[in-house]
């Protein structure tokens, strides 16, 4: 519960109201978020959370968010057929075939509305003229790594 979170919740409430959905806000006290949303007895019907992949593969998104063993299953999903398909995708070594499997699993999760995307945050950051990235080409330009929306810390350097 913070002033910014309260504003975000009010905006979501107003947006859902336009679709005919009544959202009763239930703010969580600071410091009690995870102990509330990860406990099925305390969570309620809808929780707000963010997620970023560990690397560019859906194996770091779909299993954590939609399987009981994934670690951040706020959706409380435990669909055996879906879990079996996730397990098969995790074992698939052909990257093209695996990508197709993840795409199908993503479509299935969206069709079931196990998660409701509400916003995708973007921001601007400035770096000084002496900061560069090894992969920024001859210019050494700094870029934001899209999956994280952050600097590529392992690639940054300071010019002399």
């Amino acid at each position: 519960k913070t002033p910014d979170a309260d504003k975000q919740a009010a905006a979501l409430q107003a947006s859902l109201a336009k679709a005919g959905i009544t959202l009763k806000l239930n703010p969580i006290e600071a410091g009690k978020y995870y102990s509330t949303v990860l406990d099925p007895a305390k969570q309620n019907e809808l929780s707000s959370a963010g997620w970023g992949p560990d690397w560019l593969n859906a194996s770091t998104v779909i299993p954590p968010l939609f399987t009981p063993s994934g670690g951040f299953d706020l959706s409380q999903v435990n669909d055996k057929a879906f879990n079996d398909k996730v397990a098969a995708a995790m074992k698939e070594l052909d990257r093209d075939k695996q990508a197709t499997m993840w795409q199908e699993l993503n479509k299935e999760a969206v069709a079931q509305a196990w998660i409701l995307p509400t916003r995708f945050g973007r921001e601007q950051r400035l770096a000084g003229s002496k900061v560069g990235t090894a992969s920024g080409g001859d210019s050494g330009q700094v870029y934001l790594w899209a999956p994280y929306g952050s600097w590529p810390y392992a690639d940054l350097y300071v010019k002399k």
Side-chain angles (χ1 to χ4, degrees):
K1 179 165 174 48
T2 66
D4 285 344
D6 290 346
K7 289 176 190 173
Q8 291 171 352
L12 178 59
Q13 185 181 43
S15 294
L16 290 175
K18 291 177 183 177
I21 299 169
T22 301
L23 180 65
K24 179 183 173 193
L25 299 178
N26 184 20
I28 298 171
E29 187 179 326
K32 297 196 176 192
Y33 174 79
Y34 291 105
S35 64
T36 301
V37 300
L38 292 174
D39 182 344
K42 297 178 186 175
Q43 183 195 33
N44 284 329
E45 293 80 17
L46 184 66
S47 295
S48 177
W51 187 260
D54 293 331
W55 56 85
L56 291 177
N57 187 289
S59 66
T60 67
V61 177
I62 292 174
L65 297 180
F66 303 116
T67 66
S69 61
F72 203 64
D73 182 20
L74 297 186
S75 61
Q76 307 281 326
V77 173
N78 190 5
D79 181 283
K80 181 173 177 1
F82 187 85
N83 295 343
D84 291 345
K85 291 182 231 177
V86 168
M90 294 290 285
K91 293 176 186 173
E92 180 55 57
L93 299 178
D94 180 312
R95 300 285 287 170
D96 291 333
K97 184 175 179 183
Q98 185 190 60
T100 299
M101 295 167 82
W102 288 129
Q103 289 166 2
E104 292 303 315
L105 284 161
N106 184 59
K107 288 176 189 174
E108 185 174 341
V110 169
Q112 295 295 329
W114 289 332
I115 194 166
L116 302 171
T118 55
R119 72 172 201 61
F120 181 78
R122 299 291 294 177
E123 63 183 78
Q124 294 180 346
R125 295 185 185 189
L126 298 175
S129 61
K130 295 197 181 285
V131 177
T133 55
S135 60
D138 293 334
S139 66
Q141 286 185 306
V142 179
Y143 63 92
L144 290 179
W145 191 37
Y148 288 115
S150 186
W151 306 111
Y153 294 106
D155 204 27
L156 288 175
Y157 66 87
V158 178
K159 303 171 193 173
K160 292 184 179 185

